[in-house]
PDB file of all heavy atoms in Angstrom:
ATOM      1  N   ALA A   1       5.466   7.244  -0.928  1.00 83.00           N
ATOM      2  CA  ALA A   1       5.010   6.890   0.414  1.00 83.00           C
ATOM      3  C   ALA A   1       6.175   6.315   1.223  1.00 83.00           C
ATOM      4  O   ALA A   1       7.100   5.704   0.672  1.00 83.00           O
ATOM      5  CB  ALA A   1       3.876   5.882   0.342  1.00 83.00           C
ATOM      6  N   ARG A   2       6.096   6.537   2.514  1.00 84.00           N
ATOM      7  CA  ARG A   2       7.087   5.982   3.435  1.00 84.00           C
ATOM      8  C   ARG A   2       6.352   5.005   4.355  1.00 84.00           C
ATOM      9  O   ARG A   2       5.336   5.343   4.947  1.00 84.00           O
ATOM     10  CB  ARG A   2       7.731   7.098   4.261  1.00 84.00           C
ATOM     11  CG  ARG A   2       8.781   6.635   5.276  1.00 84.00           C
ATOM     12  CD  ARG A   2       9.333   7.862   6.012  1.00 84.00           C
ATOM     13  NE  ARG A   2      10.400   7.520   6.930  1.00 84.00           N
ATOM     14  CZ  ARG A   2      10.231   7.160   8.196  1.00 84.00           C
ATOM     15  NH1 ARG A   2       8.981   7.091   8.692  1.00 84.00           N
ATOM     16  NH2 ARG A   2      11.259   6.883   8.963  1.00 84.00           N
ATOM     17  N   PHE A   3       6.871   3.788   4.445  1.00 89.00           N
ATOM     18  CA  PHE A   3       6.203   2.747   5.220  1.00 89.00           C
ATOM     19  C   PHE A   3       7.088   2.293   6.381  1.00 89.00           C
ATOM     20  O   PHE A   3       8.315   2.279   6.271  1.00 89.00           O
ATOM     21  CB  PHE A   3       5.898   1.529   4.340  1.00 89.00           C
ATOM     22  CG  PHE A   3       5.004   1.824   3.166  1.00 89.00           C
ATOM     23  CD1 PHE A   3       5.544   2.051   1.909  1.00 89.00           C
ATOM     24  CD2 PHE A   3       3.628   1.887   3.322  1.00 89.00           C
ATOM     25  CE1 PHE A   3       4.729   2.321   0.826  1.00 89.00           C
ATOM     26  CE2 PHE A   3       2.807   2.164   2.246  1.00 89.00           C
ATOM     27  CZ  PHE A   3       3.359   2.381   0.991  1.00 89.00           C
ATOM     28  N   THR A   4       6.435   1.927   7.458  1.00 88.00           N
ATOM     29  CA  THR A   4       7.129   1.260   8.563  1.00 88.00           C
ATOM     30  C   THR A   4       6.453  -0.085   8.801  1.00 88.00           C
ATOM     31  O   THR A   4       5.262  -0.260   8.500  1.00 88.00           O
ATOM     32  CB  THR A   4       7.085   2.102   9.845  1.00 88.00           C
ATOM     33  OG1 THR A   4       5.722   2.352  10.206  1.00 88.00           O
ATOM     34  CG2 THR A   4       7.820   3.419   9.660  1.00 88.00           C
ATOM     35  N   VAL A   5       7.225  -1.035   9.319  1.00 90.00           N
ATOM     36  CA  VAL A   5       6.707  -2.382   9.485  1.00 90.00           C
ATOM     37  C   VAL A   5       7.195  -2.965  10.810  1.00 90.00           C
ATOM     38  O   VAL A   5       8.289  -2.637  11.286  1.00 90.00           O
ATOM     39  CB  VAL A   5       7.148  -3.288   8.304  1.00 90.00           C
ATOM     40  CG1 VAL A   5       8.653  -3.457   8.267  1.00 90.00           C
ATOM     41  CG2 VAL A   5       6.440  -4.647   8.351  1.00 90.00           C
ATOM     42  N   THR A   6       6.335  -3.771  11.392  1.00 88.00           N
ATOM     43  CA  THR A   6       6.677  -4.516  12.604  1.00 88.00           C
ATOM     44  C   THR A   6       6.419  -5.997  12.343  1.00 88.00           C
ATOM     45  O   THR A   6       5.356  -6.351  11.826  1.00 88.00           O
ATOM     46  CB  THR A   6       5.829  -4.042  13.798  1.00 88.00           C
ATOM     47  OG1 THR A   6       6.050  -2.641  13.993  1.00 88.00           O
ATOM     48  CG2 THR A   6       6.216  -4.785  15.063  1.00 88.00           C
ATOM     49  N   PRO A   7       7.334  -6.880  12.639  1.00 90.00           N
ATOM     50  CA  PRO A   7       8.627  -6.639  13.281  1.00 90.00           C
ATOM     51  C   PRO A   7       9.648  -6.058  12.290  1.00 90.00           C
ATOM     52  O   PRO A   7       9.492  -6.177  11.074  1.00 90.00           O
ATOM     53  CB  PRO A   7       9.046  -8.032  13.749  1.00 90.00           C
ATOM     54  CG  PRO A   7       8.409  -8.948  12.748  1.00 90.00           C
ATOM     55  CD  PRO A   7       7.078  -8.325  12.421  1.00 90.00           C
ATOM     56  N   ALA A   8      10.690  -5.451  12.820  1.00 86.00           N
ATOM     57  CA  ALA A   8      11.707  -4.806  11.990  1.00 86.00           C
ATOM     58  C   ALA A   8      12.521  -5.803  11.182  1.00 86.00           C
ATOM     59  O   ALA A   8      13.285  -5.407  10.307  1.00 86.00           O
ATOM     60  CB  ALA A   8      12.634  -3.969  12.876  1.00 86.00           C
ATOM     61  N   SER A   9      12.336  -7.077  11.448  1.00 90.00           N
ATOM     62  CA  SER A   9      13.082  -8.107  10.710  1.00 90.00           C
ATOM     63  C   SER A   9      12.506  -8.351   9.314  1.00 90.00           C
ATOM     64  O   SER A   9      13.142  -9.001   8.479  1.00 90.00           O
ATOM     65  CB  SER A   9      13.082  -9.418  11.492  1.00 90.00           C
ATOM     66  OG  SER A   9      11.752  -9.853  11.740  1.00 90.00           O
ATOM     67  N   VAL A  10      11.295  -7.824   9.041  1.00 88.00           N
ATOM     68  CA  VAL A  10      10.699  -7.983   7.713  1.00 88.00           C
ATOM     69  C   VAL A  10      11.568  -7.257   6.692  1.00 88.00           C
ATOM     70  O   VAL A  10      11.935  -6.092   6.884  1.00 88.00           O
ATOM     71  CB  VAL A  10       9.264  -7.417   7.687  1.00 88.00           C
ATOM     72  CG1 VAL A  10       8.709  -7.441   6.265  1.00 88.00           C
ATOM     73  CG2 VAL A  10       8.375  -8.207   8.626  1.00 88.00           C
ATOM     74  N   THR A  11      11.893  -7.939   5.584  1.00 90.00           N
ATOM     75  CA  THR A  11      12.789  -7.357   4.577  1.00 90.00           C
ATOM     76  C   THR A  11      12.078  -6.905   3.315  1.00 90.00           C
ATOM     77  O   THR A  11      12.634  -6.111   2.544  1.00 90.00           O
ATOM     78  CB  THR A  11      13.883  -8.362   4.191  1.00 90.00           C
ATOM     79  OG1 THR A  11      13.259  -9.557   3.685  1.00 90.00           O
ATOM     80  CG2 THR A  11      14.758  -8.699   5.396  1.00 90.00           C
ATOM     81  N   ASN A  12      10.874  -7.399   3.054  1.00 89.00           N
ATOM     82  CA  ASN A  12      10.149  -6.929   1.872  1.00 89.00           C
ATOM     83  C   ASN A  12       8.667  -7.256   1.994  1.00 89.00           C
ATOM     84  O   ASN A  12       8.284  -8.230   2.652  1.00 89.00           O
ATOM     85  CB  ASN A  12      10.729  -7.525   0.582  1.00 89.00           C
ATOM     86  CG  ASN A  12      10.447  -9.011   0.449  1.00 89.00           C
ATOM     87  OD1 ASN A  12       9.435  -9.416  -0.119  1.00 89.00           O
ATOM     88  ND2 ASN A  12      11.342  -9.839   0.998  1.00 89.00           N
ATOM     89  N   LEU A  13       7.851  -6.418   1.371  1.00 86.00           N
ATOM     90  CA  LEU A  13       6.405  -6.606   1.317  1.00 86.00           C
ATOM     91  C   LEU A  13       5.903  -6.128  -0.030  1.00 86.00           C
ATOM     92  O   LEU A  13       6.453  -5.180  -0.618  1.00 86.00           O
ATOM     93  CB  LEU A  13       5.695  -5.819   2.421  1.00 86.00           C
ATOM     94  CG  LEU A  13       5.812  -6.307   3.864  1.00 86.00           C
ATOM     95  CD1 LEU A  13       5.192  -5.262   4.799  1.00 86.00           C
ATOM     96  CD2 LEU A  13       5.108  -7.656   4.030  1.00 86.00           C
ATOM     97  N   THR A  14       4.840  -6.749  -0.516  1.00 88.00           N
ATOM     98  CA  THR A  14       4.172  -6.249  -1.720  1.00 88.00           C
ATOM     99  C   THR A  14       3.008  -5.368  -1.283  1.00 88.00           C
ATOM    100  O   THR A  14       2.108  -5.808  -0.556  1.00 88.00           O
ATOM    101  CB  THR A  14       3.667  -7.407  -2.596  1.00 88.00           C
ATOM    102  OG1 THR A  14       4.798  -8.177  -3.028  1.00 88.00           O
ATOM    103  CG2 THR A  14       2.928  -6.869  -3.819  1.00 88.00           C
ATOM    104  N   ILE A  15       3.040  -4.102  -1.711  1.00 85.00           N
ATOM    105  CA  ILE A  15       2.074  -3.110  -1.248  1.00 85.00           C
ATOM    106  C   ILE A  15       1.390  -2.449  -2.446  1.00 85.00           C
ATOM    107  O   ILE A  15       2.038  -2.066  -3.413  1.00 85.00           O
ATOM    108  CB  ILE A  15       2.763  -2.039  -0.373  1.00 85.00           C
ATOM    109  CG1 ILE A  15       3.366  -2.685   0.871  1.00 85.00           C
ATOM    110  CG2 ILE A  15       1.789  -0.922   0.008  1.00 85.00           C
ATOM    111  CD1 ILE A  15       4.168  -1.730   1.739  1.00 85.00           C
ATOM    112  N   GLY A  16       0.087  -2.321  -2.360  1.00 80.00           N
ATOM    113  CA  GLY A  16      -0.690  -1.604  -3.367  1.00 80.00           C
ATOM    114  C   GLY A  16      -1.931  -1.036  -2.717  1.00 80.00           C
ATOM    115  O   GLY A  16      -2.063  -1.034  -1.488  1.00 80.00           O
ATOM    116  N   ALA A  17      -2.861  -0.544  -3.513  1.00 77.00           N
ATOM    117  CA  ALA A  17      -4.130  -0.038  -2.982  1.00 77.00           C
ATOM    118  C   ALA A  17      -5.205  -0.278  -4.030  1.00 77.00           C
ATOM    119  O   ALA A  17      -4.940  -0.218  -5.232  1.00 77.00           O
ATOM    120  CB  ALA A  17      -4.029   1.449  -2.644  1.00 77.00           C
ATOM    121  N   THR A  18      -6.404  -0.581  -3.559  1.00 73.00           N
ATOM    122  CA  THR A  18      -7.474  -0.950  -4.475  1.00 73.00           C
ATOM    123  C   THR A  18      -8.657   0.000  -4.365  1.00 73.00           C
ATOM    124  O   THR A  18      -8.828   0.706  -3.378  1.00 73.00           O
ATOM    125  CB  THR A  18      -7.954  -2.388  -4.205  1.00 73.00           C
ATOM    126  OG1 THR A  18      -8.336  -2.499  -2.832  1.00 73.00           O
ATOM    127  CG2 THR A  18      -6.853  -3.385  -4.501  1.00 73.00           C
ATOM    128  N   VAL A  19      -9.476  -0.005  -5.384  1.00 63.00           N
ATOM    129  CA  VAL A  19     -10.606   0.899  -5.483  1.00 63.00           C
ATOM    130  C   VAL A  19     -11.613   0.685  -4.364  1.00 63.00           C
ATOM    131  O   VAL A  19     -11.825  -0.429  -3.914  1.00 63.00           O
ATOM    132  CB  VAL A  19     -11.303   0.726  -6.856  1.00 63.00           C
ATOM    133  CG1 VAL A  19     -11.848  -0.662  -7.014  1.00 63.00           C
ATOM    134  CG2 VAL A  19     -12.380   1.761  -7.057  1.00 63.00           C
ATOM    135  N   SER A  20     -12.218   1.775  -3.904  1.00 63.00           N
ATOM    136  CA  SER A  20     -13.327   1.675  -2.967  1.00 63.00           C
ATOM    137  C   SER A  20     -14.204   2.908  -3.136  1.00 63.00           C
ATOM    138  O   SER A  20     -13.774   3.932  -3.652  1.00 63.00           O
ATOM    139  CB  SER A  20     -12.826   1.594  -1.515  1.00 63.00           C
ATOM    140  OG  SER A  20     -12.279   2.826  -1.116  1.00 63.00           O
ATOM    141  N   GLY A  21     -15.444   2.797  -2.702  1.00 57.00           N
ATOM    142  CA  GLY A  21     -16.366   3.923  -2.792  1.00 57.00           C
ATOM    143  C   GLY A  21     -17.152   3.906  -4.086  1.00 57.00           C
ATOM    144  O   GLY A  21     -16.720   3.368  -5.111  1.00 57.00           O
ATOM    145  N   ALA A  22     -18.335   4.519  -4.051  1.00 54.00           N
ATOM    146  CA  ALA A  22     -19.224   4.518  -5.219  1.00 54.00           C
ATOM    147  C   ALA A  22     -18.714   5.409  -6.331  1.00 54.00           C
ATOM    148  O   ALA A  22     -18.871   5.109  -7.510  1.00 54.00           O
ATOM    149  CB  ALA A  22     -20.628   4.960  -4.793  1.00 54.00           C
ATOM    150  N   THR A  23     -18.084   6.552  -5.955  1.00 56.00           N
ATOM    151  CA  THR A  23     -17.584   7.488  -6.964  1.00 56.00           C
ATOM    152  C   THR A  23     -16.144   7.855  -6.643  1.00 56.00           C
ATOM    153  O   THR A  23     -15.830   8.990  -6.293  1.00 56.00           O
ATOM    154  CB  THR A  23     -18.447   8.758  -7.023  1.00 56.00           C
ATOM    155  OG1 THR A  23     -18.489   9.349  -5.711  1.00 56.00           O
ATOM    156  CG2 THR A  23     -19.839   8.457  -7.506  1.00 56.00           C
ATOM    157  N   PRO A  24     -15.222   6.886  -6.760  1.00 56.00           N
ATOM    158  CA  PRO A  24     -13.823   7.139  -6.425  1.00 56.00           C
ATOM    159  C   PRO A  24     -13.190   8.124  -7.393  1.00 56.00           C
ATOM    160  O   PRO A  24     -13.644   8.292  -8.520  1.00 56.00           O
ATOM    161  CB  PRO A  24     -13.185   5.758  -6.526  1.00 56.00           C
ATOM    162  CG  PRO A  24     -14.072   5.005  -7.451  1.00 56.00           C
ATOM    163  CD  PRO A  24     -15.450   5.507  -7.211  1.00 56.00           C
ATOM    164  N   ILE A  25     -12.105   8.756  -6.942  1.00 55.00           N
ATOM    165  CA  ILE A  25     -11.484   9.827  -7.711  1.00 55.00           C
ATOM    166  C   ILE A  25     -10.176   9.391  -8.344  1.00 55.00           C
ATOM    167  O   ILE A  25      -9.945   9.595  -9.527  1.00 55.00           O
ATOM    168  CB  ILE A  25     -11.236  11.055  -6.812  1.00 55.00           C
ATOM    169  CG1 ILE A  25     -12.564  11.576  -6.266  1.00 55.00           C
ATOM    170  CG2 ILE A  25     -10.529  12.167  -7.568  1.00 55.00           C
ATOM    171  CD1 ILE A  25     -12.400  12.635  -5.199  1.00 55.00           C
ATOM    172  N   LEU A  26      -9.288   8.791  -7.552  1.00 60.00           N
ATOM    173  CA  LEU A  26      -7.988   8.400  -8.062  1.00 60.00           C
ATOM    174  C   LEU A  26      -8.023   6.971  -8.591  1.00 60.00           C
ATOM    175  O   LEU A  26      -9.083   6.371  -8.712  1.00 60.00           O
ATOM    176  CB  LEU A  26      -6.934   8.556  -6.972  1.00 60.00           C
ATOM    177  CG  LEU A  26      -6.693   9.983  -6.482  1.00 60.00           C
ATOM    178  CD1 LEU A  26      -5.624   9.972  -5.409  1.00 60.00           C
ATOM    179  CD2 LEU A  26      -6.285  10.887  -7.632  1.00 60.00           C
ATOM    180  N   ALA A  27      -6.852   6.429  -8.894  1.00 66.00           N
ATOM    181  CA  ALA A  27      -6.738   5.095  -9.451  1.00 66.00           C
ATOM    182  C   ALA A  27      -6.128   4.142  -8.437  1.00 66.00           C
ATOM    183  O   ALA A  27      -5.544   4.557  -7.438  1.00 66.00           O
ATOM    184  CB  ALA A  27      -5.887   5.127 -10.715  1.00 66.00           C
ATOM    185  N   ASP A  28      -6.293   2.833  -8.711  1.00 74.00           N
ATOM    186  CA  ASP A  28      -5.580   1.843  -7.914  1.00 74.00           C
ATOM    187  C   ASP A  28      -4.085   2.121  -7.966  1.00 74.00           C
ATOM    188  O   ASP A  28      -3.569   2.634  -8.962  1.00 74.00           O
ATOM    189  CB  ASP A  28      -5.801   0.442  -8.484  1.00 74.00           C
ATOM    190  CG  ASP A  28      -7.193  -0.098  -8.220  1.00 74.00           C
ATOM    191  OD1 ASP A  28      -7.939   0.527  -7.464  1.00 74.00           O
ATOM    192  OD2 ASP A  28      -7.514  -1.149  -8.798  1.00 74.00           O
ATOM    193  N   LEU A  29      -3.384   1.790  -6.882  1.00 74.00           N
ATOM    194  CA  LEU A  29      -1.927   1.812  -6.907  1.00 74.00           C
ATOM    195  C   LEU A  29      -1.436   0.414  -7.278  1.00 74.00           C
ATOM    196  O   LEU A  29      -1.856  -0.578  -6.689  1.00 74.00           O
ATOM    197  CB  LEU A  29      -1.367   2.219  -5.548  1.00 74.00           C
ATOM    198  CG  LEU A  29      -1.561   3.687  -5.155  1.00 74.00           C
ATOM    199  CD1 LEU A  29      -1.041   3.918  -3.745  1.00 74.00           C
ATOM    200  CD2 LEU A  29      -0.845   4.590  -6.139  1.00 74.00           C
ATOM    201  N   VAL A  30      -0.541   0.344  -8.271  1.00 79.00           N
ATOM    202  CA  VAL A  30      -0.007  -0.932  -8.737  1.00 79.00           C
ATOM    203  C   VAL A  30       0.725  -1.618  -7.588  1.00 79.00           C
ATOM    204  O   VAL A  30       1.533  -0.991  -6.886  1.00 79.00           O
ATOM    205  CB  VAL A  30       0.951  -0.712  -9.919  1.00 79.00           C
ATOM    206  CG1 VAL A  30       1.603  -2.036 -10.328  1.00 79.00           C
ATOM    207  CG2 VAL A  30       0.208  -0.095 -11.093  1.00 79.00           C
ATOM    208  N   ALA A  31       0.427  -2.878  -7.356  1.00 84.00           N
ATOM    209  CA  ALA A  31       1.108  -3.648  -6.313  1.00 84.00           C
ATOM    210  C   ALA A  31       2.605  -3.680  -6.601  1.00 84.00           C
ATOM    211  O   ALA A  31       3.036  -4.065  -7.699  1.00 84.00           O
ATOM    212  CB  ALA A  31       0.545  -5.055  -6.244  1.00 84.00           C
TER     213      ALA A  31
END
């Protein structure tokens, strides 16, 4: 994935994704 952030002065972020939906297909993305 390619991410953009505002303000541009941010130097790092912890990013992941969590489960949603009754019958999800893929897995969580590790933070």
